[in-house]
Amino acid sequence: LIRLACQVQEREIGVEVTLSVTNAWLRTSRFREALSLAESVVEALGEDHRLLHQIARAEAVLGQAARALKHYAQARALCPPDDVTQKGA
């Protein structure tokens, strides 16, 4: 489903499904897989604050602190003002 969403540039579906998958993977210590998937969807569909946050979470656990801080900052900058859930994360 993610691959199809990326192929047809269906951004919201691609992002939502990727968030669901990466959340599950991050909870089960599949950090490298979550990072790889989120990065590939960002590459295909463009930056999204929620995916950048997932990338940063994985990088932080994998010991890539500088990259994680960069992605957290990007996520915060792209986050819409009305998305208080992500703004506070």
Side-chain angles (χ1 to χ4, degrees), residues 35-47:
L35 177 60
S36 178
L37 177 60
E39 286 177 333
S40 68
V41 174
V42 165
E43 186 178 315
L45 297 177
E47 290 184 342

Side-chain angles (χ1 to χ4, degrees), residues 20-78:
S20 179
V21 171
T22 56
N23 272 326
W25 284 352
L26 290 169
R27 282 193 310 270
T28 57
S29 301
R30 294 174 65 181
F31 307 112
R32 287 186 194 351
E33 292 158 301
L35 177 60
S36 178
L37 177 60
E39 286 177 333
S40 68
V41 174
V42 165
E43 186 178 315
L45 297 177
E47 290 184 342
D48 180 277
H49 68 284
R50 298 163 295 178
L51 292 179
L52 290 170
H53 184 262
Q54 296 296 74
I55 289 169
R57 285 178 60 197
E59 289 170 336
V61 173
L62 293 170
Q64 301 171 7
R67 288 182 53 138
L69 287 173
K70 177 186 141 209
H71 285 116
Y72 278 130
Q74 283 180 294
R76 186 165 174 83
L78 290 174

